[in-house]
Amino acid sequence: MRRLILPTAAALMLTLAGCSATQAFFIREDGSGRADIEITVDPVLSAYVRDLGEGMGMGEAPLFDPAAIDATFSLYPELTLIAAQTRGKRTLLLTIEFASIDALFRDSDEILDRIVRFEARGDERFVAAEVDRRGVERALRYARFDPQVTEILLPPAGEMSAGEYREYLAWAMEEYEGGTPLADVFAASRVSTTVTVDGAIVDVVGGETSGSGSVARFTTPLLEILTTAEPERYGVRFRRN
C-alpha cells in the first residue's frame, strides 16, 4: 500500500505554544474545498504578547486584525476568505474556500511549495503534507503576526528540543502564570483537525478514520511541530465516489 502524507492542517494556523486550534476541512475529488478554522489564544500567551508589543512600541494592538487578514488573502487568487471574525479578544474564526488544497502553502519559495501536495491517479486521490516550523512561519504570514514578536516566540530553527523549548517558555512566561499551571497550558497547545473527503478513505497516516469512512481525524501537539528535526507527516488516500 502506498503511504502518503496528508495535511493536518496545522497548515493555515497561527500555531504557537499557548494556542489551540480546531479545523474542519472538506476536500473534493479535484482538490478544491473549504476550511473552517477556530484559533484560541490562552490568556497567558495573550498577556505575554500584549506586553511584548507594548515594549516594542506597538501599543495595545489586537491579537487578530480581520481587515489585515482579509488584505493578505487578497494576494492569493486561489484562496477565498469567506469570513474572518473574532470572538472576544482571543479567538479568531476563519472560513476559507480553496481552488486546491496545495494552494494553502503555494509560494514562490520552492521549499514551502513542498509542504502540501495533492495528486490524482485514476480513481484515487492523495493529499499530503509535512508540518514543521516552516509551516508555522508561513501561517504567521497569513495571520499578519508581527515578525518581531514571532522571532522572540519561536525557537531557533533546529536548536531546541521540545523539552528545552518548554523550559524556555516557562521561564519567559513565569510571571504570567495564573490558575492553570504553565505545563498544562503548553500541553493543551495543539491542533485538532477533521478532514472530510468527497469519497471513501483508503488509508490514513498520522491519524485515524472515523464516522462514515469519509472522515479522518488528526491531533498535532504544537511544541513538537516547532522543535522537530524531522517534519510531522500526515496523509489521506481516498477513492472518489
Side-chain angles (χ1 to χ4, degrees):
M1 183 189 322
R2 177 167 180 174
R3 295 175 64 80
L4 289 181
I5 41 181
L6 166 113
T8 143
L12 221 246
M13 298 293 73
L14 171 61
T15 46
L16 294 171
C19 293
S20 61
T22 58
Q23 308 173 98
F25 276 64
F26 175 70
I27 303 175
R28 303 182 185 94
E29 64 176 60
D30 63 354
S32 66
R34 180 184 180 100
D36 292 296
I37 298 165
E38 178 177 325
I39 304 165
T40 298
V41 179
D42 187 89
V44 170
L45 180 61
S46 176
Y48 182 65
V49 170
R50 180 197 63 217
D51 287 352
L52 280 179
E54 291 180 357
M56 294 176 181
M58 294 184 291
E60 294 188 25
L63 277 174
F64 303 112
D65 185 342
I69 293 172
D70 184 70
T72 298
F73 273 85
S74 69
L75 302 175
Y76 299 88
E78 291 183 287
L79 303 177
T80 301
L81 183 63
I82 304 299
Q85 55 189 326
T86 57
R87 187 174 64 217
K89 296 181 178 180
R90 298 184 292 103
T91 296
L92 175 67
L93 305 172
L94 298 174
T95 298
I96 302 155
E97 289 276 354
F98 46 86
S100 178
I101 182 72
D102 55 9
L104 291 175
F105 276 86
R106 188 168 298 153
D107 196 77
S108 58
D109 187 323
E110 292 183 359
I111 294 177
L112 288 171
D113 282 348
R114 292 195 293 271
I115 291 177
V116 177
R117 62 193 177 93
F118 173 82
E119 296 180 10
R121 296 187 180 184
D123 288 336
E124 290 192 337
R125 303 291 183 264
F126 306 91
V127 190
E130 296 185 352
V131 183
D132 60 8
R133 190 182 186 279
R134 296 173 303 151
V136 173
E137 291 174 323
R138 173 65 162 160
L140 293 173
R141 295 188 210 174
Y142 284 119
R144 295 295 292 268
F145 213 62
D146 187 274
Q148 296 181 74
V149 175
T150 299
E151 185 175 352
I152 292 173
L153 287 175
L154 292 182
E159 296 182 18
M160 278 188 178
S161 67
E164 290 169 335
Y165 185 43
R166 191 177 293 107
E167 289 179 5
Y168 163 74
L169 291 173
W171 168 79
M173 300 183 187
E174 182 178 12
E175 65 181 273
Y176 298 88
E177 185 170 22
T180 303
L182 288 174
D184 293 344
V185 172
F186 301 150
S189 300
R190 57 187 62 240
V191 178
S192 299
T193 302
T194 300
V195 176
T196 303
V197 299
D198 187 15
I201 291 176
V202 177
D203 189 24
V204 175
V205 175
E208 59 185 13
T209 57
S210 64
S212 64
S214 61
V215 179
R217 299 186 185 279
F218 304 86
T219 300
T220 309
L222 298 185
L223 264 66
E224 279 68 15
I225 290 176
L226 291 169
T227 57
T228 181
E230 294 294 330
E232 298 290 332
R233 294 176 170 85
Y234 304 89
V236 164
R237 180 161 61 105
F238 67 97
R239 187 171 292 113
R240 66 179 185 178
N241 289 323

